[in-house]
Amino acid sequence: MATTEMGFLHGQLKERKGRLESVIAATPGDANLQALLHEVDSALDRFAAGTYGLCDSCHESIERDRLLADPLIRYCLDHLTKHERAALQRDLDLASELQRGLLPPRDLRVGTWETNYHYAPLGAVSGDYCDLFPAKEQLYFMLGDVSGKGVAASMRMTQLHALFRSLIGMGLPLAEIVEHINGFLCESGISGQYATLVCGRAEPGGEVELFNAGHLPVIAVQKGKPQLLESTGFPVGMFRDAAFTPLRVLLGGDDMLFLFTDGVSEAEGGDGEYGVERIVNLLCRNTPCCAGDAVSACLEDLRAFVGTQPGTDDVTLLALRHLSLN
Ligand SMILES: [Zn+2]
């Protein structure tokens, strides 16, 4: 760790010691405060001995970010105490619960549109993004995949969720929404963290406008025939001046849009990758009777393909079906 950072941490500890001592003087007899002061003193002792920032167990350096976040920690990630491990797990569980709370209703129906999705993070949290948002007569849908994995990717996902919903609420055209999202991610991102994204707006008459920014193709099934709506731009958050081109498609009664993340198409089975073609064939061979049927048929097929191989990525599927008006 740099000398300036060590100086900063030393200053933090001395300041904490001073504060604790004055609080303890005002309210003597508080065992928790005494224990905390003891910990701060022992960290200052380690500073004096030149062992501060080294793991008590393996004597290697403790991760810099963790130490800056909590100057009192004494173990590296590999040697967390039972207590610290439990605290970390609680944090993750809470983040996971929070992320699940952002998902739309499972069987959302808006006017002539019926939807269903499956969202399965590989770990506690996911960088996959799936959302449905009705506004007036229209249904907005979003599916994306943030680069990277774990907590950082999931934080980005929650940003996308909040951004989209507020921009839609402002009544902006979809093209402007995508531009705003791209600009925001470019300006506020960790470099190299971008997101592939499909976002669309479905109208009651079956018209759909969508943007595919660097994502896998969206499968449109019209009268049993597939059409692949391929990406027309870079992922969002990659280039500030990127242009995004809309795609338009008209869905009749019982036609469907099917979206997925690479955790589906790149899932490994005994015969290589699952692939996009397999999903296309599945959807066109037996026209699913509803959106939920399309999602579960694909999931079932994917599970049979993957077999006992462990998953390596988050899996998200989203189906939107335009109901026939009769
Ligand atoms: Zn260690």
Side-chain angles (χ1 to χ4, degrees):
M1 187 174 280
T3 322
T4 47
E5 286 169 342
M6 286 300 259
F8 168 78
L9 286 170
H10 192 248
Q12 287 275 306
L13 287 168
K14 281 208 296 197
E15 194 192 319
R16 279 192 201 192
K17 182 178 165 69
R19 280 178 195 233
L20 277 167
E21 279 170 345
S22 58
V23 178
I24 288 169
T27 53
D30 187 321
N32 282 334
L33 291 177
Q34 289 290 354
L36 211 52
L37 180 62
H38 179 73
E39 273 194 65
V40 174
D41 279 338
S42 126
L44 285 166
D45 288 346
R46 293 198 298 281
F47 250 106
T51 58
Y52 181 82
L54 302 180
C55 170
D56 274 10
S57 174
C58 66
H59 311 296
E60 297 289 325
S61 296
I62 296 172
E63 298 77 13
R64 171 183 168 275
D65 294 354
R66 291 182 57 237
L67 210 53
L68 286 171
D70 180 1
L72 294 179
I73 54 173
R74 308 181 60 150
Y75 294 93
C76 75
L77 271 180
D78 286 339
H79 298 105
L80 292 183
T81 61
K82 211 172 120 191
H83 231 66
E84 289 167 326
R85 219 182 285 268
L88 204 59
Q89 188 58 49
R90 270 198 306 279
D91 272 354
L92 268 181
D93 289 346
L94 200 60
S96 170
E97 202 182 310
L98 226 143
Q99 198 175 31
R100 291 213 162 264
L102 298 179
L103 290 169
R106 181 79 61 185
D107 283 298
L108 182 71
R109 202 175 143 169
V110 178
T112 56
W113 291 92
E114 175 211 62
T115 69
N116 196 279
Y117 69 88
H118 173 84
Y119 185 86
L122 179 67
V125 290
S126 172
D128 277 8
Y129 169 48
C130 175
D131 202 8
L132 294 160
F133 190 62
K136 296 183 184 141
E137 297 274 272
Q138 303 167 332
L139 172 64
Y140 288 83
F141 56 95
M142 278 76 80
L143 186 103
D145 188 352
V146 178
S147 62
K149 285 193 171 61
V151 176
S154 78
M155 287 174 77
R156 263 297 194 227
M157 174 271 168
T158 59
Q159 271 185 326
L160 278 176
H161 178 273
L163 268 172
F164 254 119
R165 288 188 166 230
S166 43
L167 291 169
I168 291 166
M170 288 165 69
L172 295 180
L174 199 56
E176 276 183 43
I177 291 177
V178 180
E179 274 167 31
H180 277 300
I181 302 267
N182 182 54
F184 177 84
L185 291 195
C186 282
E187 277 152 28
S188 69
I190 307 166
S191 81
Q193 201 191 37
Y194 53 86
T196 67
L197 185 75
V198 173
C199 62
R201 186 175 51 86
E203 306 250 11
E207 303 88 355
V208 175
E209 178 192 20
L210 69 83
F211 288 83
N212 183 342
H215 198 76
L216 290 154
V218 174
I219 305 171
V221 184
Q222 293 162 292
K223 296 199 166 51
K225 298 247 178 320
Q227 185 191 348
L228 293 185
L229 307 171
E230 302 276 358
S231 162
T232 57
F234 291 105
V236 288
M238 198 175 251
F239 299 110
R240 183 69 190 83
D241 297 322
F244 300 94
T245 314
L247 291 161
R248 288 194 173 80
V249 59
L250 178 67
L251 296 201
D254 301 330
D255 288 350
M256 192 176 292
L257 286 180
F258 199 80
L259 297 80
F260 50 93
T261 52
D262 60 5
V264 180
S265 55
E266 291 172 14
E268 293 278 348
D271 297 331
E273 277 189 7
Y274 186 70
V276 176
E277 210 181 304
R278 225 181 138 103
I279 311 173
V280 171
N281 290 338
L282 189 79
L283 294 172
C284 295
R285 198 171 53 230
N286 306 308
T287 309
C289 64
C290 60
D293 201 41
V295 168
S296 48
C298 182
L299 259 185
E300 217 171 278
D301 191 55
L302 177 69
R303 282 179 185 142
F305 177 86
V306 169
T308 52
Q309 302 253 49
T312 55
D313 204 353
D314 310 317
V315 167
T316 306
L317 300 166
L318 170 64
L320 291 94
R321 184 164 162 268
H322 189 227
L323 304 170
S324 52
L325 300 166
N326 49 25

